[in-house]
Amino acid sequence: MREIEVKMRLDDPAAFEAALVARGVKLGEPVGQHDVIYTHKDDPQENSGKEGHVALRLRYSGDKVIFTLKKQCTYESDKIECETLVESGEAIDRMLRE
């Protein structure tokens, strides 16, 4: 999947949400999550927005753990993203740290 992320600052989040609902958008309940990000030790943080940068992520959300690979494409918010549900986040964490 190719993901293009758009981030914006809202002066009135409630008005924005109401406008979405008025246009037929169905909003779900907020979801809590905890992310653990892995990058190569020789790849400085300032490279995270540069073409070719790769990051791996474990996302813990409720009783699910999702393992994700993100590769930076040509723009700051343009990424290739592959993800899969995993049985054990702890096992993936051990593999990546070895």
Side-chain angles (χ1 to χ4, degrees):
M1 167 178 35
R2 187 169 188 161
E3 175 184 90
I4 300 175
E5 199 169 286
V6 177
K7 296 179 183 180
M8 62 184 83
R9 184 174 311 279
L10 298 173
D11 292 328
D12 189 348
F16 182 74
E17 184 175 317
L20 290 174
V21 170
R23 288 170 176 77
V25 173
K26 295 184 190 285
L27 301 173
E29 292 298 315
V31 176
Q33 63 191 40
H34 172 74
D35 291 347
V36 180
I37 309 295
Y38 304 86
T39 59
H40 192 276
K41 64 181 179 177
D42 296 330
D43 192 4
Q45 180 61 33
E46 57 267 16
N47 282 349
S48 65
K50 295 187 178 170
E51 185 175 348
H53 176 78
V54 173
L56 302 173
R57 176 184 73 206
L58 280 172
R59 172 167 284 167
Y60 297 84
S61 182
D63 60 351
K64 292 183 189 175
V65 183
I66 300 170
F67 182 54
T68 306
L69 174 139
K70 290 189 173 201
K71 182 175 181 183
Q72 193 70 38
C73 292
T74 55
Y75 304 105
E76 186 172 326
S77 295
D78 184 12
K79 298 177 178 77
I80 299 295
E81 183 172 315
C82 303
E83 60 185 27
T84 189
L85 193 60
V86 297
E87 187 174 314
S88 171
E90 292 76 18
I92 299 293
D93 181 76
R94 280 194 311 273
M95 285 186 250
L96 293 173
R97 291 179 187 275
E98 288 297 320

